[in-house]
Amino acid sequence: MAAPSSPNDPATDPSIQELITARPWLKHDAQAGLLLDGVPLAAIADVVGTPTWVYSAATMRCRYRALATAMAEAGLDMQVHYAVKANDSRAVLAQFAAEGAGADVVSGGELLKARRAGIPASAIVYSGVGKSEQEMRLALSEDIGQINVESTEELEMLSALAGALGHTARVALRVNPDVDAGTNDKIATGRATDKFGIPYADAVALYARAASLPGVEPVGLATHIGSQILDLAPYRDAFARIAALVEALREHGLRVGTVDCGGGLGIGYRNEPTSSPAGLAAAMKGAFGGLDVRLIMEPGRWLVGPAGVLLASVVLVKQTRHEPFVVLDAAMNDLVRPAMYDAWHGIVPLSPVDAVTPVGPVTVVGPVCESGDTFARSRRLPPLAPNAHVAILDAGAYGVVMSSTYNARPLAAEAWVDDARWSVIRDRQPMEALWERERLPA
């Protein structure tokens, strides 16, 4: 009996047509090629050049509303805070602000971007293990809705600072439930060995300590167990532990009004089965439905990941005795996820001819001087000529925000598709910008 295929076995990769079919916002047109919400992506590539990020506004709105509806139908008192770290484009933030979303931020820069995009301070939650004094001052001066405290040391620091400034910080203790989410080791955040959160056994004592400190008002608990989670079981385990902690705190006479459930709901990069918003809502209701708490959630990837593509062009095809190397003008400095996480992303040609041409195995790489600058191995694609355009799918989350100028490569442009029209929302970085802030020593 043959061994089962691994999740990254090229033999189990979805075909080009299967990738498109699973994403209703994408269509293949016999004349115009690959369309995003009715807009030919080749037209954007021809005008703006490549590499270029392209986002579907309608897809983001649809997914946000589906998530909000699932929570409402479950009868949950839920506030959705978009995780800014997934994609902090001003257009993305402004759209979620218009939908009524709050923001989950992890830096002073993200806080200011969220405020400038129209998200009210009262709807901002600030997470993160290393908030500086300057960032705490900013959060206090903006009077944001909640600060998720992640350590005893941070709590003491925040109390002293808030007291000195005459402010009161509304805080939730981020508790580490010691639950393995079963995701990539680099994006797991809820195990006892991870840097995030307060040890579960210390939470009651620290919450009581917070209630006695000047300048802070403990309002609830928070947890977050990781990202790209496809199975609901880890959520159920974590939520059950947090619910038990709510009851324990109340038994000690402490008020708990809010539970921040975190984010992490995964998407099907390879068309693999995923958990639904309705399933997540049911897990939350099962744990917290009888506790009379207001819930917060922090979705990021699930909202924006599928809504974005990275357009790239073929520089050349290098023939080898193993398999051809298709060299793109996009690289790991643009989309680092494959190099950092061994992440799988669908790759689809834009040309209507290429999309229906017989396929064969190729290795898709970028031009950066790192062997890790590889997007796919043994990926079945049609023969691609120089200057052919491709779309790297599901690149709306943790794409542009993790970009760099490594190898002195300027940051890519960004485009926005809405109502069958498109526009540029960020110009390609000029080459001169790579050195314009540098100074030679005297």
Side-chain angles (χ1 to χ4, degrees), residues 37-54:
D37 291 342
V39 173
L41 288 171
I44 299 177
D46 289 342
V47 172
V48 183
T50 55
T52 292
W53 306 92
V54 186

Side-chain angles (χ1 to χ4, degrees), residues 63 67 71 80-86 104 174 180-184 187-190 223-235 238-239 260-269 272-277 280 284 296-306 337 397-398:
R63 294 179 75 82
L67 188 64
M71 298 299 155
V80 177
H81 289 244
Y82 168 65
V84 175
K85 60 183 172 288
D104 166 64
R174 176 172 174 177
D180 189 342
T183 187
N184 186 291
I187 52 176
T189 61
T223 194
H224 193 297
I225 59 173
S227 186
Q228 186 53 13
I229 300 169
L230 302 177
D231 182 7
L232 290 175
Y235 282 120
F239 295 161
D260 184 340
C261 298
L265 196 62
I267 62 175
Y269 288 98
E272 64 266 45
T274 62
S275 299
S276 67
L280 182 60
M284 292 176 178
I296 294 172
M297 67 180 307
E298 305 164 2
R301 182 196 313 266
W302 194 88
L303 292 175
V304 296
R337 294 192 70 256
Y398 305 105

Side-chain angles (χ1 to χ4, degrees), residues 329-355:
D329 61 358
M332 64 183 288
N333 73 288
D334 300 300
L335 180 62
V336 75
R337 294 192 70 256
M340 183 176 288
Y341 305 124
D342 292 324
W344 195 100
H345 284 264
I347 301 174
V348 174
L350 304 192
S351 162
V353 175
D354 288 343

Side-chain angles (χ1 to χ4, degrees), residues 203-283:
V204 171
L206 190 59
Y207 201 96
R209 169 69 176 156
S212 70
L213 287 174
V216 295
E217 176 193 358
V219 297
L221 300 173
T223 194
H224 193 297
I225 59 173
S227 186
Q228 186 53 13
I229 300 169
L230 302 177
D231 182 7
L232 290 175
Y235 282 120
R236 295 190 190 99
D237 293 343
F239 295 161
R241 300 209 77 194
I242 299 302
L245 199 54
V246 171
E247 293 176 334
L249 289 168
R250 287 174 174 172
E251 288 173 1
H252 284 75
L254 298 165
R255 185 178 71 85
V256 184
T258 299
V259 173
D260 184 340
C261 298
L265 196 62
I267 62 175
Y269 288 98
R270 300 181 76 250
N271 291 1
E272 64 266 45
T274 62
S275 299
S276 67
L280 182 60

Side-chain angles (χ1 to χ4, degrees), residues 24-47:
W25 46 94
L26 296 176
K27 299 292 182 188
H28 177 257
D29 182 83
Q31 279 75 46
L34 189 65
L35 309 178
L36 177 64
D37 291 342
V39 173
L41 288 171
I44 299 177
D46 289 342
V47 172

